[in-house]
Every structure is written in C-alpha cells, then in structure tokens.
Amino acid sequence: MNIHPLHSNYERPVRFTYPFCYEPHPLSCQAAAEVQQYIATHEEIRRDADNGKMFGVLVVESAEGLAFLAAYSGLLAGRNDWPYFVPPVYDAQQPDGHFKTTEREISLTTRLSPLTSKQMSQELQTWLFHQYQLLNARGEVKDLVDIWQEYYSRPKLRQRYPLPPGGTGDCCAPKLLQYAYQHYLHPVCMAEFWWGQSTKEELRQHLNYYPACRGKCMPILTWMLQGLDVDPNPETLGYEHMEIPTIYEDNDILVVDKPSGILSVPGRMEDYSVETVMQQRYPGSIVAHRLDMSTSGLLIVAKHIEAYHPLQQQFIRHEVKKKYVALLEHTGQGSGIVSLPMRPDPMNRPRQVVDMEHGKRAVTRYEFISDHLVALWPETGRTHQLRIHCAHPDGLSNPIVGDELYGTKGQRLCLHAAEIWFKHPISGEEMHFETTPDFL
C-alpha cells in the first residue's frame, strides 16, 4: 500500500511547503517519524539506507482523510519498486523494456565503435527524458525536456543547460507529487530527510531535514507546483535589518563586526548588506572581502577606491591573516592541518563538495581551544571552506553548530571571524583587531 493513514491533531498549514527553503511542518515530522520506523524495522532497506539516502514524505488529503506518501531518491537496494513507497515517475529498470534493451545494445557497440556508442547513449537519454510525463496541480502534463527548456528559455541559459542531467526526475519530491496528482490526492505539506552516514560526496547528517535540490528539481517543481497555493520563497521576503557595530574607523577604512544573518555585499535577490549600509553612510565605500551571510565577525570596509585597491592586493598575495573560532557539535582535541580540495556542486547550490581530482586547493590549520571550541586559520579562501573542513569525514568529521548545509540547523551558525591582521592601505601601519562572538 502506497497511501498511509495519518492520525493527527495538528492543524493543517495554510499553504503548501516551499520545497527549497522550509521549516518542516509538524504533520510532515509525524509522517517522517513513521517512515523512519519502517526503515529501521526492514533489514534489507535499512542496510542499504545506512550508506546514505534521501527520503521524502508528502502529507495529503484523501477521500478517507489525512494520509501520507513516502519516497526515496533514485534506487534503494537496487530497486525502485518497494511497495511501501511510491513508484518512480517512469520505470526504466524493466529488463525487457526499451531502455534496458538499448543499454545492452550500446554496451556491445562500445567495443566496435565508441563514437556510435556515444551517439546512441545521448539519443537514449533524450528518449528517456521524454518518457517523464509530469503533472502539475492543474492536471496539465509536460515532459521533462519541455519543462527543462521552458525553464531555461533564454538563449544563453538554453546553451548552458540544453538537457537535464542524468537522474533528473528521480528525486523524492517529483515522485511524491506525481503519485498524488495521479490519484487525486491534495498535497498539504512535505519534507525530505537524510538517513544514514554522511558520505564524502553528501555531507549530510542522519535524520536531518533538507530542502529539495535546486539543480535537478527547481525546473521540475516550478512546473509541478503550479496550481497549488505555496509558501513564498523566504529569500524574497528580505532580511532583518541589524545594527553593524564599528570596531575601528579613520579617514580611509572601517573595521566592522558583521552580525550573523546579513550579507557582506548585495545578493541576487537581496540588496540589504553591510556594503549597502556603509555606502549610505559613506558614499563610494567598498567591502574589501566577504564573509558568508551566516558567519559573523570582522570585516574591512574601504571608504574610497584608493584604499580598496591596496587592500585587494594584500588579499590576492595572501598577506592578510584571519583567525576564526567555531563551536563544534562534538568534542575534539589536538591541532593540525586539513587539506581537502573543493568545488561548487552545480546541481545543489550553494553547497560545495570535496573533489580530489577537480577541486581547487583548500587548506585550513586548526587547534582546539576546548572540548567543543576550535580555532581555524584558513590558508586559502574557498566558499564554505571552514564549514566543509570541519564537517567532512576526511577533515575534523565534526560539523559546526547550527550549520544547516553540512550539519544540523540551529539558531545561528556558530562560526566567527575573531581576529584579523593586515597593513593599513594608506599608511602601511600594521593593524590587528579582535572580537568575541555572541555564542561564547
């Protein structure tokens, strides 16, 4: 049975979940707990899931009342037909089906003509995408290729993303919504959680909730959610305006203590930032470097371009030294160096991944100050470098408290740029500043 009754006293949400940024509704958490119990008591499923797997739940209104659906991403123990879970949007695993039959033909052709084999593989993949006939809440149908090309309709984007990547359409959310629409079930709320260990590719924590992946699912869900009343994207609602304390100021520069939760510079959808606030006070000022929105701490602002350029050169030559402090989820001790090359995850931005072959050099020195508190000195400045070097199994294997991307979501990310050393861009004087984070 794919539809499971859900007996609950929780009130229904006013709108459906915005799947790319959400707090799971209590109904979703109740449904997820039942799925987790099911996984734990079915050995073959649990054994495979323990290696790391994303699961999803969709709470629905049925003719019999409140119920939920469950799904997993991709295959589970080599299967896509476990009876407790909804089926795939399209079943490409049938041994005698067109997809598997042609795959075998391509495998034989590879030995004779690699070029012909490649062309056949591309044609088969395109054929497969056309088999994904996806519904939306209005009952309209489009195949995956049309959905993808409509989403990336601008010529430059179309050229960059001509077709979906492999595996598109096999994530939890499309499976759940497709089954609900096919069976005339009204979606109420949804959530996705990770089961099992954190892999080197997927830095996720057991039983934590995560948003749908943007790279593969954003075009699909933009289509499939049409006709539903969906929560607004929190990223479009603006951020809280905060006081930005000034640590030091002269005629050329400022050093500020950026709070967690404010951008360093204007973003794609949000203009409010340290730089825009400083520009209102001091027209022409420029932030000389950046901290992640969730990271607090010391930030240098140049009041004019003559101060900005020398500061930039110091950063380029790695002459600026920075010390961060972080509160970690687990105890630790000792000191050392983490060297794990990194690159962006194009299918799941803003997440970054460790890639030993194609990643850029990323090096961090660390020293534990106490059981949970660590000092971090980045020798390179990759996006999310400190967060990944703490969380990764080949790093400290110890996520930063409040890290919703690589650890467990909390009130704030407990990472703070605590000290900075640089030369004054005009006078050449050696400068050093220090602040204490609010989580200590």
Side-chain angles (χ1 to χ4, degrees), residues 128-172:
L128 179 61
F129 288 146
H130 282 298
Q131 309 315 303
Y132 283 72
Q133 300 286 321
L134 293 154
L135 289 157
N136 65 18
R138 301 190 186 107
E140 300 165 334
V141 182
K142 278 188 180 178
D143 74 40
L144 188 51
V145 174
D146 287 341
I147 290 170
W148 195 266
Q149 294 186 344
E150 181 178 289
Y151 186 83
Y152 294 111
S153 57
R154 288 187 292 170
K156 283 188 178 179
L157 287 174
R158 175 73 65 84
Q159 186 176 9
R160 187 175 180 184
Y161 305 107
L163 287 172
T168 302
D170 294 324
C171 297
C172 297

Side-chain angles (χ1 to χ4, degrees), residues 97-250:
H98 175 75
F99 185 80
K100 285 297 183 183
T101 302
T102 309
E103 258 193 343
R104 289 192 291 271
E105 292 176 6
I106 293 171
S107 180
L108 294 171
T109 307
T110 304
R111 305 169 196 169
L112 303 174
S113 172
L115 189 62
T116 302
S117 173
K118 182 178 179 180
Q119 182 179 347
M120 289 177 66
S121 295
Q122 291 173 341
E123 290 173 353
L124 179 61
Q125 188 67 66
T126 303
W127 174 89
L128 179 61
F129 288 146
H130 282 298
Q131 309 315 303
Y132 283 72
Q133 300 286 321
L134 293 154
L135 289 157
N136 65 18
R138 301 190 186 107
E140 300 165 334
V141 182
K142 278 188 180 178
D143 74 40
L144 188 51
V145 174
D146 287 341
I147 290 170
W148 195 266
Q149 294 186 344
E150 181 178 289
Y151 186 83
Y152 294 111
S153 57
R154 288 187 292 170
K156 283 188 178 179
L157 287 174
R158 175 73 65 84
Q159 186 176 9
R160 187 175 180 184
Y161 305 107
L163 287 172
T168 302
D170 294 324
C171 297
C172 297
K175 290 182 180 181
L176 291 165
L177 289 169
Q178 182 80 350
Y179 189 88
Y181 296 151
Q182 287 173 334
H183 293 82
Y184 306 101
L185 305 169
H186 178 71
V188 175
C189 57
M190 72 182 303
E192 297 184 45
F193 65 88
W194 181 261
W195 178 286
Q197 64 185 4
S198 181
T199 68
K200 293 180 180 180
E201 293 76 27
E202 294 278 5
L203 285 180
R204 302 184 187 273
Q205 306 301 313
H206 182 53
L207 302 186
N208 277 10
Y209 293 97
Y210 292 95
C213 68
R214 290 176 180 263
K216 293 180 180 179
C217 286
M218 182 68 85
I220 297 176
L221 298 186
T222 298
W223 163 255
M224 297 189 81
L225 293 175
Q226 290 181 24
L228 282 182
D229 187 11
V230 181
D231 283 336
N233 177 359
E235 295 175 347
T236 65
L237 299 178
Y239 297 102
E240 177 186 356
H241 288 206
M242 305 175 185
E243 180 184 355
I244 304 171
T246 298
I247 304 300
Y248 171 83
E249 179 178 1
D250 61 28

Side-chain angles (χ1 to χ4, degrees), residues 344-360:
D345 181 355
M347 290 295 103
N348 209 3
R349 294 183 184 275
R351 292 177 66 90
Q352 309 289 307
V353 296
V354 169
D355 187 332
M356 304 305 289
E357 184 178 357
H358 303 293
K360 292 184 177 180

Side-chain angles (χ1 to χ4, degrees), residues 56-104:
V57 292
L58 175 65
V59 178
V60 295
E61 289 279 8
S62 69
E64 290 75 32
L66 209 60
F68 73 89
L69 310 173
Y72 49 85
S73 63
L75 301 176
L76 182 60
R79 291 173 52 182
N80 63 7
D81 59 351
W82 291 99
Y84 183 84
F85 300 93
V86 299
V89 174
Y90 179 76
D91 186 0
Q93 299 300 311
Q94 293 298 320
D96 299 325
H98 175 75
F99 185 80
K100 285 297 183 183
T101 302
T102 309
E103 258 193 343
R104 289 192 291 271

